[in-house]
Amino acid sequence: MDEVTKIVNDIKQGNIKPIYFLMGEEPYYIDRLTEYIENNILTEEEKGFNQMVLYGKDVTVEDVISNAKRYPMMADRQVVIVKEAQELARTIDKFESYAENPQPTTVLVIAYKYKTLDKRKKVTKLMDKHGLVFESKKLYENQVGDWIKRVLSGKGYGIEPKAAAMLVEFLGTDLSKINNELEKLAIILPQGSMITPHHIEENIGISKDYNVFELRKAIGERDQLKAYKIAAYFAQNPKDNPLVMTVGLVFGFFTQLLQYHGLKDKNPSNAAKMLKVNPYFLKDYDIALRNYPMRKVSGIVATLRDIDVKSKGVGAAALSNDDLLKEMLVKIFN
């Protein structure tokens, strides 16, 4: 994220704000910025007296302000970090007085995860005026593959599109979880490696042949034998392949296919943009487009809604995951 890079570069150049209010639904960047400030503003010798880490559930806003108003000892500045600051949500407005006139020798970091402050609030405006307010937004699923590619590129690695897709389908959009797995791969594989589906399967435990990505591909190609094999594997490994998630991802595939049918401009660049998919995977949608007419796709979407309800235990108490997966495939292929 460009904004994160700019904040880090500003700190490196000595342009340090007295307040960093880090908020948002995506905790990954909040944690990374907090960690960077914690590790890089003060020297190791200065940290003993001048760096304090507080936790929102253990302190009040008044406690934080009291610590922030202290003067540094034998250093130019002190750092006060408030982690899990969302625990102070009910009294966050009490920061107004401090934000209006922050201590210039203090760097106050407020890590306010999973929530955001209304930018029209006085406290938010004051923090942004005299410090910095950063919002870490959740990435959409179709953006995570590019994020993985950028992170790995920065570490000196490449990744094949299918391998990135496997990570997204298995780990979702949780950047912290994905980054943990990428760091494991960086330890195992030599720098300069191109990460493949085989590496993902061998080191992370995601099957390169039995995953939702391959199931959707088999369905799109009307490869019934392969689809039923994958479904049987899912039924035998329900913890790694939750039925609700499987149905949801297949539903998403056919919803995109319905949208693809309706596109007037099917130029690859426009289609990939409208469907929010990596252009590399557009060929799978082209094959499915030929195999499933628009009317058939509409019927499948309705069927998958019904299967989704059953997968959540409504009206299907006697049906196993295996039975529901088979029912899904029978209705798709018929």
Side-chain angles (χ1 to χ4, degrees):
M1 185 182 285
D2 292 341
E3 191 178 354
V4 174
T5 303
K6 184 180 184 309
I7 293 169
V8 169
N9 286 338
D10 281 348
I11 292 172
K12 286 179 179 177
Q13 293 166 15
N15 181 15
I16 300 171
K17 305 289 186 183
I19 300 174
Y20 289 89
F21 192 86
L22 313 175
M23 65 180 185
E25 293 296 321
E26 176 49 68
Y28 176 79
Y29 286 113
I30 296 173
D31 288 338
R32 295 291 78 76
L33 284 171
T34 301
E35 185 180 287
Y36 183 82
I37 293 171
E38 190 172 354
N39 292 336
N40 292 279
I41 296 287
L42 301 178
T43 66
E44 289 302 319
E45 291 76 17
E46 292 171 333
K47 287 178 184 176
F49 291 109
N50 298 291
Q51 185 153 289
M52 180 170 293
V53 178
L54 307 172
Y55 289 86
K57 62 184 175 64
D58 299 325
V59 296
T60 64
V61 171
E62 289 83 359
D63 294 330
V64 176
I65 292 173
S66 175
N67 280 285
K69 284 184 174 181
R70 288 192 306 116
Y71 288 97
M73 292 180 63
M74 296 178 288
D76 293 333
R77 54 172 61 91
Q78 68 159 347
V79 174
V80 177
I81 297 171
V82 188
K83 296 184 177 181
E84 309 298 339
Q86 65 274 11
E87 298 288 342
L88 299 172
R90 292 182 180 179
T91 56
I92 202 73
D93 287 340
K94 292 184 178 181
F95 275 114
E96 280 182 15
S97 60
Y98 181 81
E100 201 155 18
N101 186 30
Q103 180 78 334
T105 54
T106 293
V107 179
L108 174 61
V109 181
I110 303 173
Y112 194 83
K113 297 196 287 190
Y114 312 112
K115 295 184 177 183
T116 57
L117 283 186
D118 188 333
K119 293 181 180 179
R120 297 168 296 181
K121 287 171 72 75
K122 184 179 179 181
V123 66
T124 317
K125 289 180 178 179
L126 286 170
M127 286 183 176
D128 199 35
K129 180 180 178 181
H130 298 292
L132 181 144
V133 174
F134 166 76
E135 182 178 354
S136 183
K137 296 180 180 178
K138 275 275 188 191
L139 293 186
Y140 293 112
E141 187 174 311
N142 65 296
Q143 297 173 312
V144 179
D146 286 337
W147 179 86
I148 291 171
K149 187 177 177 181
R150 286 198 306 273
V151 169
L152 286 172
S153 177
K155 298 175 184 287
Y157 294 84
I159 187 167
E160 292 182 5
K162 181 181 174 180
M166 287 168 65
L167 284 172
V168 176
E169 289 192 353
F170 188 72
L171 300 170
T173 59
D174 188 324
L175 302 188
S176 296
K177 282 185 181 178
I178 294 172
N179 188 65
N180 287 340
E181 299 301 336
L182 297 182
E183 287 182 349
K184 289 178 190 175
L185 290 171
I187 292 170
I188 296 164
L189 302 174
Q191 196 169 39
S193 297
M194 174 64 69
I195 296 169
T196 67
H198 177 74
H199 290 134
I200 301 297
E201 180 177 48
E202 193 173 64
N203 299 295
I204 298 177
I206 308 169
S207 172
K208 64 182 174 60
D209 298 316
Y210 295 93
N211 56 67
V212 177
F213 173 79
E214 289 298 326
L215 176 63
R216 292 192 310 189
K217 191 169 185 287
I219 290 171
E221 294 172 350
R222 294 191 69 83
D223 186 340
Q224 296 190 37
L225 178 60
K226 184 177 179 181
Y228 279 107
K229 278 185 177 180
I230 295 172
Y233 177 85
F234 284 5
Q236 292 167 5
N237 300 274
K239 287 186 179 179
D240 293 333
N241 306 279
L243 179 60
V244 172
M245 185 182 296
T246 299
V247 174
L249 289 168
V250 174
F251 176 81
F253 176 73
F254 277 101
T255 301
Q256 288 172 313
L257 196 58
L258 190 62
Q259 186 182 2
Y260 198 11
H261 268 295
L263 285 181
K264 291 182 179 178
D265 179 7
K266 288 186 171 62
N267 178 280
S269 60
N270 180 63
K273 180 181 177 182
M274 297 304 294
L275 298 181
K276 297 181 179 178
V277 299
N278 187 312
Y280 175 85
F281 298 113
L282 200 60
K283 62 182 183 297
D284 296 333
Y285 289 82
D286 287 329
I287 293 169
L289 198 73
R290 295 192 293 271
N291 285 330
Y292 297 91
M294 192 170 191
R295 181 177 294 180
K296 175 66 175 174
V297 175
S298 297
I300 290 171
V301 168
T303 293
L304 288 169
R305 285 199 180 99
D306 179 54
I307 298 289
D308 178 60
V309 170
K310 290 180 180 178
S311 74
K312 293 167 182 171
V314 180
L319 293 179
S320 66
N321 285 5
D322 189 22
D323 289 334
L324 283 171
L325 282 168
K326 286 177 181 175
E327 180 182 340
M328 178 184 79
L329 292 178
V330 166
K331 290 185 176 178
I332 287 173
F333 288 130
N334 284 351

